[in-house]
Amino acid sequence: VSKILVAGSYNEDMTVVSQVLPRSGETVLGASFFAAPGGKGANQAIGAARLGADTTFLVKLGLDPFGDRAQRLFIDEGLPAHGILRTAAAPTGVALIMVDVDGANQISVAPGANGLLMGTDALDGLLRDVSVLLCQLECPPELFESLAHRLPSATKILNPAPARPLRDECFGAIDFLTPNESELASLTGLAVTSDAEVRAASSVLIGKGVGNVIATLGANGALWTNGSQERHFPAPAVVAVDSTGAGDAFNAGLAAALALKWSVADAIELAVRCGAFCVTRTGALDGLPRLDDLQLPVRAR
Ligand code: RIB
């Protein structure tokens, strides 16, 4: 049995769609609003499960209606109940999201219960048969460090979103790091605006002990480097309506394919297709594909 453990966040996503995103201090008139399940951890866990991977999700929710709704969703999506924890100490996480007509977004998260999820919350039974660990940074980085330590033989993926400082010892535990360009810049302190700068920043992280860096580049696909090889994976051209969750769909695809023992190159190709699918749908959850969905509507950009 090969199992994925996704340990991470759930947020209730509150999304306003508007013509343009507001600048600092500005108010713009939005067009529509919707509330939907989200959170990078939840999106990645549901995404991996939808792709057919045996997935367990370790998450902490508040004792509130958002948490109730999330718990029902996880069960409906086939995620096992024993990873779903509830706490009276904090509310369920909330994300305020703004999306413009081109699909670009801005997100601010109040982590709530996500901030209380620790490695010690994972009972030994939850870790049995785990071959792939997938974490993000909406929960404390200690969560990844502790689970990575307890899963020495698992493939460990860290999606460093949102970017936050990592201890030097953390880098050596990461088999696959999946930053976008701004996360790559934050993690290295380097400017990352060109392909050459993506390469340079990725090399710095490899130098710190990361096994593979897969930089996600939006419509430009992804760049994989591991110190000895480098390869660019272009993204299919699609009509983007909302980029929310695209990184999560990518990470879900990567984890699912690695758990299914695909080669790294095939896994990244699937991940890129998952990310491209996601931007063609509104909201994170509807953008998480099943394998059948991946016949993408490809149109010239
Ligand atoms: O990656 C998209 C997610 O980021 C949203 O669902 C939101 O909850 C934020 O966590």
Side-chain angles (χ1 to χ4, degrees):
V1 191
S2 174
K3 212 170 72 177
I4 299 178
L5 174 64
V6 180
S9 56
Y10 172 83
N11 297 321
E12 184 75 14
D13 286 356
M14 309 278 187
T15 302
V16 173
V17 182
S18 52
Q19 194 71 24
V20 291
L21 298 174
R23 293 186 300 264
S24 178
E26 188 189 22
T27 302
V28 298
L29 207 53
S32 59
F33 166 79
F34 61 93
K40 296 182 193 302
N43 298 338
Q44 294 178 20
I46 292 170
R50 286 188 183 174
L51 291 167
D54 182 353
T55 307
T56 298
F57 184 33
L58 178 64
V59 61
K60 200 169 266 191
L61 307 167
L63 294 177
D64 45 32
F66 290 159
D68 295 344
R69 160 159 132 137
Q71 185 158 8
R72 282 194 301 272
L73 169 74
F74 299 149
I75 302 301
D76 288 350
E77 293 282 345
L79 297 168
H82 62 280
I84 307 167
L85 312 178
R86 309 287 300 262
T87 178
T92 300
V94 169
L96 294 186
I97 303 180
M98 290 177 287
V99 178
D100 73 13
V101 284
D102 296 321
N105 67 19
Q106 286 175 349
I107 304 179
S108 182
V109 173
N114 298 312
L116 304 181
L117 185 62
M118 297 293 158
T120 46
D121 287 319
L123 302 180
D124 287 342
L126 208 74
L127 306 188
R128 200 166 299 131
D129 299 323
V130 168
S131 65
V132 175
L133 171 68
L134 172 58
C135 294
Q136 321 74 32
L137 294 177
E138 285 181 336
C139 294
E142 178 275 338
L143 177 66
F144 172 76
E145 288 185 29
S146 148
L147 294 176
H149 183 70
R150 290 171 64 192
L151 290 166
S153 57
T155 299
K156 297 165 209 57
I157 308 171
L158 180 63
N159 173 221
R164 51 201 284 186
L166 296 174
R167 298 184 325 133
D168 277 347
E169 306 84 83
C170 184
F171 290 100
I174 303 169
D175 296 307
F176 291 89
L177 186 71
T178 55
N180 64 19
E181 287 149 293
S182 70
E183 291 150 3
L184 202 47
S186 297
L187 286 171
T188 58
L190 299 172
V192 179
T193 52
S194 66
D195 285 357
E197 287 170 347
V198 170
R199 288 190 174 86
S202 298
S203 299
V204 168
L205 295 170
I206 297 287
K208 287 184 170 219
V210 174
N212 298 265
V213 175
I214 307 171
T216 57
L217 308 173
N220 290 326
L223 186 83
W224 169 39
T225 171
N226 63 11
S228 54
Q229 303 177 61
E230 179 186 295
R231 183 164 155 194
H232 176 246
F233 293 77
V238 293
V239 176
V241 296
D242 180 5
S243 59
T244 307
D248 301 330
F250 181 98
N251 280 279
L254 179 72
L258 292 176
L260 297 169
K261 308 288 179 220
W262 291 22
S263 71
V264 174
D266 287 348
I268 299 172
E269 244 166 56
L270 178 76
V272 166
R273 291 182 76 80
C274 290
F277 175 86
C278 189
V279 303
T280 66
R281 299 288 192 278
T282 299
L285 205 61
D286 286 349
L288 300 170
R290 296 172 176 81
L291 283 176
D292 287 351
D293 292 319
L294 291 174
Q295 301 310 321
L296 287 169
V298 179
R299 296 199 217 144
R301 215 187 296 279

